[in-house]
Amino acid sequence: MTVQALFASILALAVTLAGMRLAFQYRAAPNAALRMAVLWLLMALSAAALYFTAFPLPLRVPAQTLVVMTANADQVKNIPAGIRIALPEAAGEMNAQRMPDLASALRRYPGVESLVVVGDGLPARDRDAVQMKPLRLLPAAAPVGIVTLWQQPVITAGSVWRVQGRVQGMQNARVELLDPAGKSVRMAAVDAEGDFVLEDTARTAGRADYRVRLIASDKRVVEDIPLLLDGVDPPIVRVLVRASGPGPELKQLRRWALDAGVSLQSRVDLGPDMFLQSGTPTLTAAALQAQDLLILDERAWAELSAAERQAVRLAVQGGLGLLLRINGPLPPQTIADWKSFGFAMRESDGTQTVRLDLPGASDAWPDFTRRTLRINANDAKSLLQTAQGDALGLWRPVGEGRVGVLWLSDSYRLVLAGFSLQHSQFWSRTASVLARSQPTADPQWRDGVAWLGERTVFCHLAEAPRMITEGNAIPLIRESVGLNRGCAAFWPKTTGVHTLETAEQRMRFLARNPKQAMAMYRYRIQQETRQLAERQRGITAINEPTVEAPGSPWPAFIVWLILSAALWWLERNTRVLARNGI
């Protein structure tokens, strides 16, 4: 049943019950039938007037095109004819009627059958008002500068984080990443497609204010956009190391684990029935369930018992990460066992000197040594490469876990050459790729960027979310049912740092003023308006001289008011007459 039918049914029921009450109340009065008929007729007419007040009769009005002037509409030529309005973002002199929003304009002109949007496009405030009307965009000139910028909202301290984006309308431009002290930490050239990537390491947990600077070919600073890095303490990764003997590689691996806050247990063989042990590094099913990553060299794997190898296989199927470090000749048992993990290994005598391809690589880096062996694996991904693009490490998924092979035997040379940060980054990235997946409770930011006065949505929220801004805590309404379950929306009223908090979660983000990143804001508005026009493409204009538009409720309301007054007067007099027996 529609709303109109339900409303009409309620009115009919009310008229029927009221008439029955009057008939029973005045059944003995003289001329009761005539009086009841008049009152019943007036009640029916009053109900009808009330119905048409709530649902006015449609009218036929001249069909019109609404030309909507938005930001930078003054750059567009050959604007078509139609009713011309200007939204608040449009320039001052537009020869158009000013409107606070598109919905107000559509109420003012109910005969509008199509829209022509001129300029950058419709902001979020006005896009829902379009409804089922065909829309055409006459765009302003494309923005010049950084038009997209993305970074991970929450960064783990000690890990490498990335900011990437796209530059439009500039050739031979460069982008620069500035740390909180204003020091340049990374610089990258913009490629032919306009894309760029910048990386750095989150050194500590907490807030850090970075900046991305766009530099033109003539060394002119075009844009300087603030970034907020929200660093959190990393979850403790539990690593188990089995080594066939001591060495500098193992020493620096232990030092990395200590600096990165990794929980490390190890066993290093020294000879027959002799070993150094830290923790209780047993390879049983229960012990491996409590670990996230197992690292062994080729001889340590060959020395495992059949029961231990089977326990490792089952643990990998359940999510454990596994890394084989190849430092020397491969025993036949190791080659056979790792074939079951999907790695086909072919031994080759000798070593080879290589240069590494890692972030921050420079000519000052030392040469490294790799085993000259061949390893193939289906659907494997690179773990490490040489500067020439040859693989030095591969990994692939096995069950719910990940298994990797690394045949670089001396990554410790990075530390000896003074590049301990790069050594730490490599092993941190390797551990993050291979280690058992950690459940995350981080909020999911649907939009990825927050603009002043516009809605931004967060999902996967725990109970009782709130937004802290300028010292004030604002409770958010969290959806509890439907597709948006666990989501909440927020409209920033101020720019700067905001903090989203629940009892279990915490995330900082930056609300931007469009003036801080005008090219990015304009590009977003243009793209979303183009997408809206594309969705409206299937809607065709009526192409008739008149269209149907909602009528005014005022005439029906005035009739209802008059009829209601007449009913009150007649019923009052009917009571008086009935009381006097007339």
Side-chain angles (χ1 to χ4, degrees):
M1 180 180 290
T2 63
V3 176
Q4 291 93 328
L6 178 63
F7 191 68
S9 301
I10 294 174
L11 290 177
L13 179 62
V15 170
T16 302
L17 294 176
M20 293 173 63
R21 180 187 66 82
L22 290 174
F24 178 80
Q25 185 174 357
Y26 302 119
R27 63 186 182 280
N31 301 319
L34 178 61
R35 292 173 180 174
M36 291 308 100
V38 172
L39 288 172
W40 213 322
L41 176 62
L42 287 177
M43 284 190 295
L45 292 175
S46 177
L50 182 59
Y51 175 85
F52 289 116
T53 300
F55 305 101
L57 289 171
L59 302 175
R60 302 297 296 185
V61 297
Q64 298 166 317
T65 297
L66 187 66
V67 180
V68 184
M69 314 297 284
T70 63
N72 295 300
D74 52 338
Q75 300 177 4
V76 181
K77 308 297 182 184
N78 302 321
I79 299 175
I83 302 174
R84 186 175 294 187
I85 68 158
L87 296 180
E89 295 79 15
E93 298 297 329
M94 294 303 306
N95 190 25
Q97 183 180 0
R98 286 282 167 182
M99 286 286 174
D101 51 51
L102 180 59
S104 298
L106 293 176
R107 287 192 297 269
R108 176 72 62 86
Y109 301 104
V112 169
E113 67 161 348
S114 61
L115 301 173
V116 177
V117 178
V118 183
D120 284 343
L122 298 175
R125 176 198 64 221
D126 297 312
R127 287 192 283 271
D128 289 341
V130 174
Q131 296 182 355
M132 298 299 294
K133 290 180 172 55
L135 181 147
R136 182 162 61 101
L137 174 65
L138 298 179
V144 176
I146 298 176
V147 293
T148 62
L149 196 64
W150 178 90
Q151 69 171 110
Q152 188 176 344
V154 181
I155 312 295
T156 302
S159 66
V160 176
W161 63 282
R162 172 181 295 183
V163 55
Q164 59 191 49
R166 172 169 293 184
V167 174
Q168 184 171 270
M170 297 181 65
Q171 298 293 329
N172 301 320
R174 295 174 299 151
V175 286
E176 188 177 25
L177 181 65
L178 306 179
D179 67 10
K183 178 183 176 182
S184 175
V185 292
R186 291 290 183 274
M187 183 173 288
V190 177
D191 65 17
E193 301 296 326
D195 297 326
F196 66 88
V197 176
L198 298 167
E199 290 184 339
D200 194 25
T201 301
R203 293 168 179 81
T204 59
R207 168 185 170 182
D209 297 317
Y210 280 74
R211 307 186 74 85
V212 172
R213 181 177 290 172
L214 175 62
I215 303 173
S217 57
D218 58 0
K219 299 184 180 181
R220 173 175 49 90
V221 176
V222 178
E223 285 187 299
D224 195 348
I225 301 177
L227 283 180
L228 176 66
L229 179 67
D230 185 20
V232 298
D233 291 321
I236 297 177
V237 178
R238 300 159 300 180
V239 177
L240 176 59
V241 174
R242 292 288 291 265
S244 59
E249 185 75 352
L250 185 59
K251 175 184 176 181
Q252 296 303 333
L253 184 61
R254 292 176 58 86
R255 181 55 188 263
W256 158 77
L258 179 63
D259 293 342
V262 171
S263 174
L264 181 69
Q265 296 184 26
S266 64
R267 170 174 165 163
V268 182
D269 293 333
L270 302 178
D273 298 326
M274 295 176 57
F275 53 85
L276 290 176
Q277 181 171 300
S278 173
T280 55
T282 56
L283 299 184
T284 62
L288 292 174
Q289 183 64 34
Q291 301 296 326
D292 299 317
L293 177 62
L294 173 62
I295 301 176
L296 311 93
D297 60 35
E298 74 287 345
R299 285 193 296 158
W301 175 269
E303 292 169 2
L304 298 183
S305 66
E308 288 176 324
R309 285 196 291 269
Q310 181 62 18
V312 171
R313 291 190 186 96
L314 293 176
V316 168
Q317 292 290 334
L320 176 71
L322 177 62
L323 176 64
L324 179 68
R325 296 190 305 112
I326 301 177
N327 301 320
L330 286 171
Q333 182 65 52
T334 302
I335 294 176
D337 289 339
W338 280 74
K339 189 174 182 180
S340 65
F341 288 126
F343 292 91
M345 303 180 181
R346 184 182 301 174
E347 180 62 274
S348 177
D349 293 334
T351 59
Q352 180 183 0
T353 300
V354 295
R355 304 282 292 180
L356 294 187
D357 179 23
L358 286 174
S362 69
D363 294 336
W365 279 25
D367 292 332
F368 298 87
T369 306
R370 57 157 284 183
R371 297 285 302 173
T372 54
L373 49 83
R374 293 174 179 267
I375 298 181
N376 296 318
N378 294 330
D379 66 12
K381 298 178 177 60
S382 175
L383 199 60
L384 179 65
Q385 289 182 334
T386 68
Q388 291 74 32
D390 297 328
L392 292 174
L394 296 173
W395 70 270
R396 64 182 303 273
V398 176
E400 296 183 10
R402 293 178 175 182
V403 176
V405 179
L406 179 68
W407 55 99
L408 176 74
S409 57
D410 52 0
S411 67
Y412 68 89
R413 293 183 185 275
L414 279 171
V415 180
L416 300 183
F419 298 98
S420 57
L421 177 60
Q422 284 74 15
H423 178 271
S424 177
Q425 289 176 351
F426 165 68
W427 280 104
S428 294
R429 183 158 48 188
T430 300
S432 66
V433 168
L434 297 178
R436 190 190 302 272
S437 298
Q438 300 288 336
T440 177
D442 293 337
Q444 300 297 309
W445 192 3
R446 183 179 294 178
D447 305 284
V449 61
W451 298 100
L452 181 66
E454 294 193 9
R455 183 182 67 175
T456 187
V457 179
F458 302 91
C459 292
H460 297 180
L461 298 178
E463 295 287 346
R466 62 176 187 166
M467 191 68 66
I468 299 176
T469 172
E470 296 183 342
N472 299 318
I474 304 170
L476 303 183
I477 300 176
R478 176 178 173 269
E479 293 287 345
S480 56
V481 295
L483 295 177
N484 293 321
R485 182 177 181 180
C487 298
F490 176 68
W491 284 258
K493 294 183 178 180
T494 60
T495 59
V497 179
H498 294 62
T499 303
L500 174 65
E501 279 190 354
T502 68
E504 306 170 2
Q505 303 161 315
R506 188 172 187 273
M507 187 183 82
R508 296 187 183 93
F509 68 95
L510 195 64
R512 301 183 185 279
N513 189 318
K515 296 179 181 179
Q516 294 176 324
M518 184 54 71
M520 188 161 58
Y521 183 75
R522 288 186 58 205
Y523 179 81
R524 173 175 171 269
I525 295 295
Q526 288 185 3
Q527 289 298 105
E528 293 187 353
T529 306
R530 284 192 180 96
Q531 293 170 7
L532 177 61
E534 187 69 24
R535 292 195 297 270
Q536 305 291 100
R537 178 173 291 182
I539 304 172
T540 57
I542 298 175
N543 293 324
E544 294 182 3
T546 62
V547 295
E548 191 176 87
S552 173
W554 286 105
F557 176 74
I558 293 172
V559 172
W560 173 79
L561 200 60
I562 293 172
L563 291 173
S564 298
L567 271 170
W568 172 81
W569 185 82
L570 284 174
E571 186 178 355
R572 182 175 181 276
N573 280 272
T574 297
R575 282 191 196 136
V576 173
L577 293 174
R579 196 180 305 122
N580 295 326
I582 301 175

